[in-house]
Amino acid sequence: MASQFHLNPHPPLGKLLITLLFRAFGYTGGSSFDSGEPHPDFVPYVQMRRVQAVLGTLLVPVVFAACRALRLPEMAGWLAALFVALDNALIGISRINMLDSALLLANAAALYAIKLVSVSTIIVVGIYILADLVDLTIKSQRQT
């Protein structure tokens, strides 16, 4: 947010999306978030934590939907969603300002999107195969 280079292993798109959400609550940077120090008054840390909590909460239905999209039994989807909802690590991660909630949600959404991508890939490959078959048929008819 301060437009300064900082070497960080987290994905830049994730940081930009979280920055966009934080800016929506009026945070423009300027705090180093030193450990053990109180937050300055201009840091809307309650809203920042709410964003993380919403992302962590959305993970539960997205995991269920991803399991169903992958054609797992409904009970497996419910069980996976229950595991996500009751996992202490995920509950803790979604309470603090980290990129992990957004990253986990994006990964679960990608699992859900696999079905959509695979169906569209099958359609595109099928069209190309049909076009090749038509082309081969026309060429073989011309040779005879």
Side-chain angles (χ1 to χ4, degrees), residues 27-99:
Y27 180 67
T28 57
S31 177
S32 61
F33 294 104
D34 292 328
S35 181
E37 297 293 322
H39 293 298
D41 291 336
F42 63 87
V43 176
Y45 66 92
V46 173
Q47 289 87 350
M48 294 165 105
R49 286 187 171 187
R50 283 185 184 147
V51 168
Q52 299 300 323
V54 167
L55 294 174
T57 303
L58 287 174
L59 184 60
V60 176
V62 170
V63 164
F64 177 79
C67 289
R68 296 301 293 151
L70 294 172
R71 295 186 178 169
L72 295 175
E74 186 175 356
M75 183 55 83
W78 284 112
L79 194 59
L82 180 68
F83 286 163
V84 168
L86 299 179
D87 185 5
N88 285 334
L90 294 176
I91 292 170
I93 284 172
S94 63
R95 293 180 66 192
I96 56 178
N97 291 327
M98 293 178 62
L99 286 175

Side-chain angles (χ1 to χ4, degrees), residues 14 25 71-72 82 88 100 102 118-119 129 134:
F25 293 112
R71 295 186 178 169
L72 295 175
L82 180 68
N88 285 334
D100 295 8
S118 63
V119 168
I129 290 173
V134 168

